[in-house]
Amino acid sequence: MKFFIDTANLAEIQEAYDLGVLDGVTTNPSLMAKEGITGEDQIRAHYKAICDIVDDKVSAEVISTDFEGMIREGKELAKIDEKIVVKVPMIKEGVKAIKYLHSEGIRTNCTLIFSAGQAILAAKAGATYVSPFIGRLDDISFDGLELIEQIVHIYQTYGFSTEVLAASIRHTMHLIKCAELGADVATCPLKVITGLLNHPLTDKGLAQFLADHAKAAGK
Ligand code: G3P
């Protein structure tokens, strides 16, 4: 299972990368705005700075909602760095754009997936990744994890090469369940990745080991 970090914050990306378990980054216009990144030049420079930290797979989202605009933006984003994956929303024009970008050899991440039908469309169009938003489904009393299970099953049944990128992950149990269900990728905030480290018995056990060592050494 690949781990992506869902942020545009460079310090957080660096911290996750330094942990040695980071496979990529996802951003969206809200996450870029949160970092105060605005204007075309600043946005391009920020994507480049992210690409310079990680090894591959940096999702950069288009803002256009028409086919021509998405194609133009997608090509421009892909030129920033070969690590860029163009993120395209699940709308009619987006499906056409994914098909086109795929034919041009540009990797895509189809975002805002909330149903199995949308995931099938994205896979048929040739999306590299689909991003089902599990937390936002849970927020409205739908089972986000059930959607992951459904998409994984459908993709396996038909041999689709599109990878299931579980997004909108809110806590460590989401991540662990996604791993159990066979999601190819999980994108999460830094606190979810580092949250996997925590267990009180680990802390207690380590404290005991160190205390016993110090006692035996006469300290
Ligand atoms: O990047 C897309 C997704 O992960 C957003 O998550 O927490 O805003 O629902 P959230």
Side-chain angles (χ1 to χ4, degrees):
M1 185 190 212
K2 290 188 269 290
F3 279 9
F4 291 0
I5 188 166
D6 196 28
T7 183
N9 182 285
L10 298 180
E12 288 184 1
I13 294 167
Q14 187 69 57
E15 187 178 336
Y17 184 77
D18 290 345
L19 190 59
V21 298
L22 193 67
D23 301 294
V25 180
T26 51
T27 62
N28 62 40
S30 304
L31 292 171
M32 293 291 275
K34 195 173 158 196
E35 298 306 314
I37 311 298
T38 52
E40 239 174 78
D41 290 348
Q42 214 187 346
I43 288 172
R44 287 176 65 84
H46 200 76
Y47 283 138
K48 183 65 187 154
I50 294 174
C51 290
D52 287 345
I53 297 174
V54 300
D55 298 331
D56 195 11
K57 305 177 191 81
V58 175
S59 282
E61 189 160 341
V62 299
I63 309 299
S64 305
T65 53
D66 62 299
F67 176 76
E68 282 77 18
M70 282 191 253
I71 295 306
R72 181 184 42 78
E73 266 191 75
K75 284 181 172 174
E76 278 166 15
L77 289 168
K79 268 191 226 148
I80 296 173
D81 196 291
E82 62 185 14
K83 297 173 188 173
I84 292 285
V85 175
V86 177
K87 208 171 178 187
V88 177
M90 172 33 80
I91 54 176
K92 195 192 229 178
E93 298 291 288
V95 173
K96 294 181 196 170
I98 288 166
K99 178 88 182 169
Y100 178 84
L101 293 169
H102 176 61
S103 74
E104 292 284 300
I106 295 173
R107 295 178 297 178
T108 55
N109 173 359
C110 186
T111 190
L112 292 165
I113 295 281
F114 293 96
S115 77
Q118 292 177 325
I120 293 169
L121 272 180
K124 284 190 67 69
T128 315
Y129 303 97
V130 282
S131 290
F133 279 29
I134 63 176
R136 292 192 194 183
L137 278 172
D138 288 357
D139 287 346
I140 58 158
S141 308
F142 281 82
D143 191 343
L145 289 166
E146 205 173 290
L147 177 61
I148 298 294
E149 188 172 20
Q150 211 180 359
I151 299 171
V152 167
H153 175 72
I154 292 167
Y155 283 8
Q156 279 175 358
T157 302
Y158 290 97
F160 283 123
S161 58
T162 302
E163 294 191 30
V164 180
L165 193 172
S168 185
I169 287 182
R170 301 280 161 74
H171 47 72
T172 52
M173 277 314 288
H174 266 160
L175 179 49
I176 293 163
K177 287 288 173 194
C178 283
E180 281 181 7
L181 294 171
D184 301 284
V185 191
T187 190
C188 3
L190 179 63
K191 71 170 188 269
V192 175
I193 298 174
T194 55
L196 296 176
L197 289 164
N198 302 331
H199 200 291
L201 290 180
T202 303
D203 299 340
K204 191 179 168 197
L206 181 60
Q208 186 69 56
F209 287 155
L210 296 179
D212 289 345
H213 172 77
K215 201 169 155 192
K219 287 181 190 161

